[in-house]
Amino acid sequence: MENTEQEMEITYVQNYKDFKKLTLHPSTIANIICCNIIPITGILIFELVMLILSLQSGFSEMRIFYMVLVPSFYTLFIILFTPTWIIVIKFQWKKTSKLPLERKWIFTNKGIIVDKVYTSTKYEWEKILKVVESRNQINFNLTNNKVINLVLDFLPKRALNEEQYGQLHTILLKYLDSSKIKFKIDKKGS
């Protein structure tokens, strides 16, 4: 058995707002980019190419058909996707909320243990490449990429009181290089 010294423990109960952050909710920026901006840009490029081809070689019934059909299918997809996805997320939350929602973060000298009642995962300090504080949460990233970040989990700032907030910052500085920590000094916006 390893000799691990516990430095701090944070306990909280996961709520629906936390759950929405873990799923790709239709109102999130990532979903808007993935399901709206990128496909609309693709459709506009497709329409432009079809228009240029039609202007050069003439309008045919098939080209006009495709120019009308592709945007129509996408519009129908968006009209059906958003409400359906919201219903699916509500259904998933009802299933998830039947399980214990207690979460426990244990900070030790060896790493971080995230205990979710039925599962417990240990992350060593060496695997954490970046800690980023956002408005409502603290993300512990396993990658240092600017485009795609693998987040081991997020710690809601609502779970921390002022003393724990300062203690967490001290613990992070103790085990991680200060260049890896994008952390504010005071607790604002929680």
Side-chain angles (χ1 to χ4, degrees):
M1 185 103 186
E2 301 181 11
N3 184 16
T4 58
E5 180 184 322
Q6 180 175 331
E7 299 207 17
M8 183 170 74
E9 182 177 308
I10 300 170
T11 306
Y12 67 97
V13 176
Q14 184 183 22
N15 62 18
Y16 183 66
K17 285 183 180 181
D18 299 335
F19 179 75
K20 277 186 2 182
K21 289 175 186 168
L22 294 173
T23 59
L24 193 61
H25 195 271
S27 64
T28 61
I29 291 180
N31 191 21
I32 291 170
I33 291 171
C34 293
C35 296
N36 293 328
I37 295 175
I38 293 172
I40 288 172
T41 305
I43 288 172
L44 290 175
I45 291 170
F46 172 77
E47 293 287 321
L48 181 64
V49 169
M50 291 298 286
L51 182 63
I52 291 170
L53 285 173
S54 298
L55 288 173
Q56 288 182 349
S57 61
F59 286 90
S60 69
E61 289 182 16
M62 284 307 286
R63 286 190 186 135
I64 294 172
F65 177 72
Y66 286 128
M67 290 174 73
V68 172
L69 187 67
V70 171
S72 300
F73 275 140
Y74 179 70
T75 304
L76 181 65
F77 169 74
I78 287 299
I79 290 171
L80 295 175
F81 168 77
T82 304
T84 305
W85 192 251
I86 290 173
I87 291 168
V88 167
I89 288 176
K90 289 280 188 184
F91 180 71
Q92 287 177 337
W93 172 247
K94 284 186 179 190
K95 287 175 66 176
T96 302
S97 63
K98 291 178 183 176
L99 298 171
L101 298 174
E102 291 83 21
R103 303 289 184 256
K104 189 184 300 183
W105 285 62
I106 303 168
F107 294 87
T108 67
N109 59 348
K110 302 284 185 184
I112 301 171
I113 301 169
V114 181
D115 185 12
K116 297 181 180 181
V117 179
Y118 292 122
T119 61
S120 181
T121 311
K122 181 179 179 184
Y123 298 96
E124 296 168 356
W125 289 112
E126 295 81 32
K127 291 183 181 177
I128 300 171
L129 296 180
K130 188 166 53 169
V131 178
V132 180
E133 178 185 14
S134 66
R135 188 170 159 224
N136 296 318
Q137 64 194 24
I138 300 169
N139 296 317
F140 293 82
N141 298 343
L142 299 176
T143 57
N144 203 10
N145 195 344
K146 292 183 180 180
V147 178
I148 298 174
N149 275 318
L150 295 176
V151 178
L152 73 91
D153 214 334
F154 69 90
L155 179 64
K157 287 171 63 175
R158 65 175 175 79
L160 300 166
N161 59 33
E162 302 249 348
E163 182 183 323
Q164 289 175 322
Y165 189 85
Q167 188 179 1
L168 177 62
H169 188 259
T170 305
I171 291 170
L172 292 175
L173 285 174
K174 183 176 178 182
Y175 294 108
L176 297 173
D177 186 41
S178 62
S179 64
K180 294 181 177 183
I181 302 171
K182 308 291 186 232
F183 210 81
K184 299 173 188 158
I185 300 302
D186 56 350
K187 184 179 177 184
K188 292 181 181 176
S190 54

